[in-house]
Amino acid sequence: MEAPHPVMVGERVILARLRREDIPELTRYFQNLELSTYLGGSGVSYSLEDEQAYFESISRNNPAHVTFGVYERDGGRLIGGVDLHDINHRHGTAELGVSIHDPACWSGGFGSEATRLMVEYGVFHLGLHNILLKVFSFNTRAIRAYEKVGFEVCGRRTGTVRLGGQRYDTVFMEITANRVDMSALQAQITLLK
């Protein structure tokens, strides 16, 4: 399989457009009930047809939604995905979604780096001022990763997820453009040097 063409490059990951040949790998990842629980609290398993439909929905340019695959920099293996959705260009706002799909890469810093790269992309290229994300309170690993990037808790919605007979909160976190270091990205743009 040909290596993905990078859009954003980090130390350990690259962000690139998802490729049609990634669909079987996405299907394998999204049959992991632990992953789908972290993402939606529902424990849903997705089929090849589900992932094909998802790919078709995100494969065309959409000014309100940008999606990239997260690939290992060495070897180009798909390990996750990241997106900015509900992009409001007038007000400079969006919501971030990120997932490291491969459990072998959890707690390895890949999610933090993918988040940081996507935030830089949104602030630099899309002119975003405020990026919001939602995470379930039981996902403390993700909360720590977002805090490492600079996200701060800005609110909670109590008891929104029922899982295993218990209720968990949805935690709202945000980052604003003034808290984003753009120096590494600016160094990659030749005309800005």
Side-chain angles (χ1 to χ4, degrees):
M1 185 181 321
E2 183 180 322
H5 300 287
V7 174
M8 298 286 291
V9 179
E11 291 179 21
R12 301 180 67 196
V13 303
I14 62 171
L15 304 186
R17 296 292 300 259
L18 283 169
R19 305 164 299 177
R20 190 170 299 282
E21 57 263 30
D22 293 326
I23 295 172
E25 190 72 2
L26 286 170
T27 302
R28 187 177 69 77
Y29 286 139
F30 279 93
Q31 291 183 356
N32 178 337
L33 294 181
E34 184 177 12
L35 173 65
S36 65
T37 298
Y38 286 133
L39 296 177
S42 57
V44 173
S45 177
Y46 294 95
S47 68
L48 181 64
E49 292 77 17
D50 293 329
E51 292 305 326
Q52 287 171 332
Y54 168 74
F55 176 82
E56 294 304 327
S57 74
I58 57 97
S59 64
R60 290 174 183 77
N61 285 328
N62 177 345
H65 195 136
V66 176
T67 301
F68 296 125
V70 178
Y71 298 86
E72 285 181 313
R73 185 169 174 177
D74 297 332
R77 186 174 67 91
L78 177 70
I79 62 168
V82 63
D83 76 340
L84 289 167
H85 53 278
D86 296 331
I87 299 170
N88 184 316
H89 293 280
R90 179 174 182 212
H91 298 297
T93 61
E95 188 171 331
L96 176 96
V98 63
S99 169
I100 298 303
H101 307 332
D102 185 349
C105 295
W106 292 351
S107 298
F110 296 100
S112 295
E113 187 172 59
T115 300
R116 180 184 56 77
L117 290 171
M118 193 59 157
V119 166
E120 289 175 6
Y121 176 87
V123 171
F124 188 86
H125 291 289
L126 303 179
L128 297 177
H129 170 72
N130 180 294
I131 299 173
L132 174 77
L133 65 82
K134 295 179 247 182
V135 60
F136 301 127
S137 59
F138 62 78
N139 196 348
T140 55
R141 180 180 62 236
I143 292 169
R144 282 192 307 273
Y146 300 138
E147 288 172 337
K148 190 167 31 168
V149 173
F151 279 84
E152 296 177 348
V153 173
C154 62
R156 295 179 91 82
R157 191 166 178 202
T158 305
T160 55
V161 177
R162 186 178 60 204
L163 186 61
Q166 294 188 30
R167 291 217 166 257
Y168 298 92
D169 298 348
T170 299
V171 179
F172 295 87
M173 301 179 78
E174 69 178 356
I175 192 167
T176 54
N178 61 318
R179 295 198 317 263
V180 178
D181 179 5
M182 305 287 272
S183 59
L185 181 56
Q186 289 171 335
Q188 294 177 21
I189 309 290
T190 308
L191 295 177
L192 298 178
K193 294 180 182 177

